[in-house]
Amino acid sequence: MKNTRIVLAARPDGEPADGDFRMESSSTPTLGRGELLLRTIYLSLDPYMRGRMNAARSYVDPVELGAVMVGATVSEVVESADDAFAPGDVVLAGSGWQEFAVATASQVRRLDPSVAPITTALGVLGMPGFTAYAGVTAIGKPKRGETLVVAAATGPVGATVGQIASALGARTVGIVGGAAKEAVARRFGFDAVIDRKVGELGEALDAAAPDGIDVYFENVGGAVWDAVLPRLNTYARVPVCGLIATLNGPAATSGPAHSPALMRTVLTKSLTIRGFIQDEFRESLTTSFAADMTRWVRDGQVTYLEDITSGLANAPKVFRGMLRGENLGKTIIQVGEDPTIRDRGAR
Amino acid sequence: MKNTRIVLAARPDGEPADGDFRMESSSTPTLGRGELLLRTIYLSLDPYMRGRMNAARSYVDPVELGAVMVGATVSEVVESADDAFAPGDVVLAGSGWQEFAVATASQVRRLDPSVAPITTALGVLGMPGFTAYAGVTAIGKPKRGETLVVAAATGPVGATVGQIASALGARTVGIVGGAAKEAVARRFGFDAVIDRKVGELGEALDAAAPDGIDVYFENVGGAVWDAVLPRLNTYARVPVCGLIATLNGPAATSGPAHSPALMRTVLTKSLTIRGFIQDEFRESLTTSFAADMTRWVRDGQVTYLEDITSGLANAPKVFRGMLRGENLGKTIIQVGEDPTIRDRGAR
């Protein structure tokens, strides 16, 4: 069997270009003792991958030139040298942008297709959902009646943030780019939706959040942050899980930190700004997340939207579109046949 | 009796000038029902007063033009229309930059001169000491073996921050401006002292904090913050209680918040940046502060330094010098005779 994979060919300067990726063929990896051979069904595309394409170390090491692009996958076990797994099992894995990969049992988590569609392990019941859950419940902590603002409000993190905050009794304001997304955000139940491409963002925030902003869930950065900052209330909390607006910019970990407006507002408003990645909360929140989110999804308290494109070869193009905000919901590439759909069809 | 007072004559543009203050004479205020007539013994000068001279509201209202400059005082009760106080009692009050003021009993706190010198109510046992205590114990939370950095390390907040962190088992690095202060900071027990006027601050921090920085107690802002930011460890905490380096700058609460280097570091290092003013912790920490700090001062675990100048007329000049970092320790103006020293002399 042949393995098709996409490797990092060059480090992007700004927005990734076609030439930064290279599609390759190799032979399927062979199993070592206790390993599993995995066939990729779905590949998750996430903004953090853009950071991994840079040479600079962020919270994890960069992808090496010539190495397979990283990424979470939903995969099917094809061969197993571990008694705990059998061919046909569906697992959450980290195979990256390729058709086949090997992994040990400890590197995968078995999925139960009867609980929820297996794609949700990459979205609302996976990393984006957990990021939203951890940021809202452990850092943002909106109280009943407080106002929470989140941008990229139709994305897998933003939409979930809004719905969790609503479940906790907060007033929610979602910011989106474009009329199509505005309609979608309303379906997600935001109390107010702002299209940042229409009018002046600050005035729109004044209208949508007349009592000021108590929690700003930061997943975009840039101009939205500029407009939110002066509207934060005393003791406001700002969980920071991503800065997609600046991802394609120059690597900005050096250079002056000096930002008098920001630090002065931190001081005068007693703000809390708190960066986080989901790993920090894995131990403390995994159990409550699984219980709460499964219940919310089942009850319809949290809904979700998936943007699925077929074909691994489309991953670079879809990834670039996602960075430009062209996706609607959780971005997923279907790499191979989904056996749970095949099985359902056979019933 | 005449009351001499210093009022805000004009709002400063940058560093306060002589003409921004005006010394006036008025008649001594008369007592209403339940009020106390207070004679100022000591006036505290603190960096926050510079912010109050601006027209912009920060966390409290600005001083009005023509109004007495605000400030904490140690005062003696001269007349009392409240049974709980008698002439001769010494109290902590907020009389501002003047010789006499009236207050109600609820606006003052009785001081016991037998516990500690009454000036300490303005410093190590007062607002600066409490600010240090709250920032270190409630936000910075240095663990044993972690590294804490603080600037203005001979000031009443910085020196106390370092000593509390040492008491908690942290390695402490103090940053000062000038050789004289370097020697004083060493006496306060910092594990390493950096003179920011010698050499390159970043290199000095690398040498003084070879394992990186876990807590940066921010009380200065500006160039020190720029040098500290890239040296913060993952999960570092940054309590922000003041930005003296930018106090004389243009009012910076408007303008772009956009600061990619800062926000990206917040994200990649999972930083916590937390502004605070002491009021927030008054209810939760006043009791433990009084117990801990009184014990630490008595045991010599926390020492302090006071910079006392006689004469209310000198307040503007001394205040301006403090903003330039010319003070050594807690800045106090002796406005009138100290009865506790007079009594001690008579024994």
Side-chain angles (χ1 to χ4, degrees):
Chain A
M1 278 189 298
K2 260 186 19 182
N3 181 29
T4 302
R5 61 191 191 183
I6 295 177
V7 302
L8 180 63
R11 301 208 179 276
D13 177 19
E15 191 176 335
D18 280 340
D20 297 333
F21 303 94
R22 186 174 60 240
M23 202 146 178
E24 293 181 346
S25 254
S26 65
S27 55
T28 305
T30 50
L31 288 197
R33 182 189 300 269
E35 287 184 331
L36 314 171
L37 177 63
L38 304 176
R39 177 182 69 81
T40 305
I41 307 168
Y42 295 108
L43 165 67
S44 179
L45 294 183
D46 299 278
Y48 78 84
M49 295 168 175
R50 175 62 187 84
R52 302 287 288 275
M53 298 175 79
N54 292 333
R57 189 179 194 287
S58 107
Y59 35 82
V60 286
D61 289 327
V63 175
E64 296 297 328
L65 286 176
V68 176
M69 284 289 294
V70 293
T73 59
V74 169
S75 301
E76 182 180 23
V77 176
V78 178
E79 290 179 47
S80 173
D82 187 303
D83 289 346
F85 287 89
D89 285 352
V90 176
V91 297
L92 177 66
S95 298
W97 298 27
Q98 58 184 342
E99 289 184 298
F100 292 96
V102 292
T104 62
S106 67
Q107 293 171 322
V108 306
R109 180 165 64 80
R110 188 192 312 274
L111 298 176
D112 182 349
S114 71
V115 170
I118 57 177
T119 48
T120 59
L122 302 176
V124 69
L125 293 177
M127 185 270 279
F130 187 73
T131 299
Y133 183 84
V136 173
T137 65
I139 300 172
K141 297 177 184 168
K143 299 185 191 74
R144 190 164 292 278
E146 284 191 335
T147 298
L148 173 143
V149 172
V150 65
T154 60
V157 175
T160 313
V161 163
Q163 294 174 93
I164 295 173
S166 289
L168 298 176
R171 172 178 169 76
T172 57
V173 179
I175 301 173
V176 298
K181 290 185 174 177
E182 188 179 345
V184 172
R186 291 194 191 284
R187 292 219 310 274
F188 280 124
F190 283 94
D191 294 303
V193 178
I194 295 171
D195 180 356
R196 62 179 164 74
K197 295 185 174 172
V198 175
E200 207 274 313
L201 183 54
E203 289 170 14
L205 281 168
D206 285 339
D211 298 328
I213 300 166
D214 301 294
V215 180
Y216 172 57
F217 191 105
E218 172 63 297
N219 60 348
V220 297
V224 175
W225 177 220
D226 290 347
V228 164
L229 184 71
R231 293 170 174 85
L232 291 173
N233 289 331
T234 296
Y235 301 133
R237 289 80 67 195
V238 182
V240 181
C241 85
L243 298 167
I244 195 169
T246 64
L247 268 176
N248 280 333
T253 43
S254 60
H258 206 122
S259 45
L262 176 52
M263 293 302 283
R264 182 141 297 283
T265 309
V266 165
L267 177 61
T268 57
K269 297 282 187 68
S270 294
L271 302 185
T272 300
I273 299 179
R274 175 65 155 85
F276 74 105
I277 58 173
Q278 50 147 8
D279 285 359
E280 178 181 352
F281 298 100
R282 194 176 295 281
E283 198 173 326
S284 57
L285 294 182
T286 292
T287 306
S288 63
F289 166 70
D292 287 345
M293 193 61 86
T294 306
R295 187 183 69 248
W296 284 333
V297 168
R298 199 181 49 223
D299 297 351
Q301 174 83 55
V302 173
T303 59
Y304 59 93
L305 194 62
E306 295 174 334
D307 189 329
I308 304 180
T309 304
S310 279
L312 180 61
N314 289 319
K317 184 186 66 185
V318 172
F319 178 64
R320 294 164 60 189
M322 181 193 68
L323 293 178
R324 286 192 300 264
E326 293 169 3
N327 59 307
L328 206 51
K330 169 63 198 162
T331 308
I332 294 174
I333 298 290
Q334 181 160 10
V335 177
E337 194 188 4
D338 180 344
T340 66
I341 292 179
R342 180 189 60 201
D343 291 352
R344 276 207 292 276
R347 255 177 232 139
Chain B
M1 280 189 298
K2 259 186 18 181
N3 181 27
T4 303
R5 62 191 190 183
I6 295 177
V7 303
L8 180 64
R11 303 212 180 272
D13 177 17
E15 190 175 336
D18 280 340
D20 297 332
F21 303 94
R22 184 174 62 240
M23 201 146 180
E24 293 181 347
S25 253
S26 65
S27 55
T28 305
T30 50
L31 288 197
R33 183 187 301 268
E35 286 184 331
L36 313 171
L37 178 62
L38 304 176
R39 176 183 70 80
T40 305
I41 307 169
Y42 296 107
L43 165 66
S44 179
L45 294 183
D46 300 277
Y48 78 82
M49 295 167 175
R50 175 62 188 82
R52 302 287 288 275
M53 298 174 79
N54 291 333
R57 191 178 194 286
S58 129
Y59 35 82
V60 285
D61 288 327
V63 175
E64 297 296 328
L65 286 176
V68 177
M69 284 289 294
V70 293
T73 59
V74 170
S75 300
E76 182 178 21
V77 175
V78 178
E79 289 179 48
S80 173
D82 187 303
D83 289 344
F85 287 89
D89 285 350
V90 176
V91 297
L92 176 66
S95 298
W97 298 27
Q98 59 184 340
E99 289 183 299
F100 292 96
V102 292
T104 62
S106 67
Q107 293 171 322
V108 305
R109 180 165 64 80
R110 189 191 312 274
L111 298 176
D112 181 350
S114 73
V115 169
I118 58 176
T119 48
T120 58
L122 302 175
V124 69
L125 295 177
M127 185 270 280
F130 187 73
T131 299
Y133 183 84
V136 173
T137 65
I139 301 172
K141 296 178 186 168
K143 300 184 191 75
R144 190 163 293 277
E146 285 191 335
T147 298
L148 173 144
V149 172
V150 64
T154 61
V157 175
T160 312
V161 164
Q163 294 176 92
I164 295 172
S166 290
L168 298 176
R171 173 178 168 78
T172 58
V173 178
I175 300 173
V176 298
K181 289 184 175 176
E182 189 179 345
V184 172
R186 292 194 190 284
R187 293 218 310 274
F188 279 124
F190 283 94
D191 294 303
V193 178
I194 295 172
D195 179 357
R196 63 178 163 75
K197 295 185 174 172
V198 175
E200 207 274 313
L201 183 53
E203 290 171 14
L205 281 168
D206 286 338
D211 299 327
I213 300 167
D214 301 293
V215 180
Y216 172 56
F217 191 105
E218 173 62 297
N219 60 349
V220 299
V224 174
W225 177 221
D226 289 348
V228 163
L229 183 70
R231 292 170 174 85
L232 292 173
N233 289 331
T234 297
Y235 302 133
R237 289 80 68 195
V238 182
V240 180
C241 85
L243 299 167
I244 195 171
T246 64
L247 268 176
N248 280 332
T253 43
S254 61
H258 206 121
S259 45
L262 176 53
M263 293 302 282
R264 183 139 297 281
T265 309
V266 164
L267 176 60
T268 58
K269 297 284 187 67
S270 293
L271 302 185
T272 300
I273 299 180
R274 175 65 155 84
F276 73 104
I277 59 173
Q278 50 146 10
D279 284 358
E280 178 181 352
F281 298 100
R282 194 177 296 281
E283 197 172 325
S284 56
L285 293 182
T286 292
T287 305
S288 63
F289 167 69
D292 287 345
M293 193 61 87
T294 305
R295 187 183 70 249
W296 284 332
V297 168
R298 197 181 50 225
D299 297 349
Q301 173 84 54
V302 172
T303 60
Y304 59 93
L305 195 62
E306 295 174 335
D307 189 328
I308 304 179
T309 303
S310 278
L312 179 62
N314 290 318
K317 183 186 68 183
V318 171
F319 178 64
R320 294 166 60 192
M322 181 193 68
L323 292 179
R324 285 191 301 264
E326 293 170 3
N327 59 307
L328 207 50
K330 170 61 198 164
T331 309
I332 295 173
I333 298 289
Q334 180 159 12
V335 177
E337 193 187 6
D338 179 345
T340 67
I341 291 178
R342 179 188 64 203
D343 291 353
R344 276 207 293 276
R347 255 176 229 138

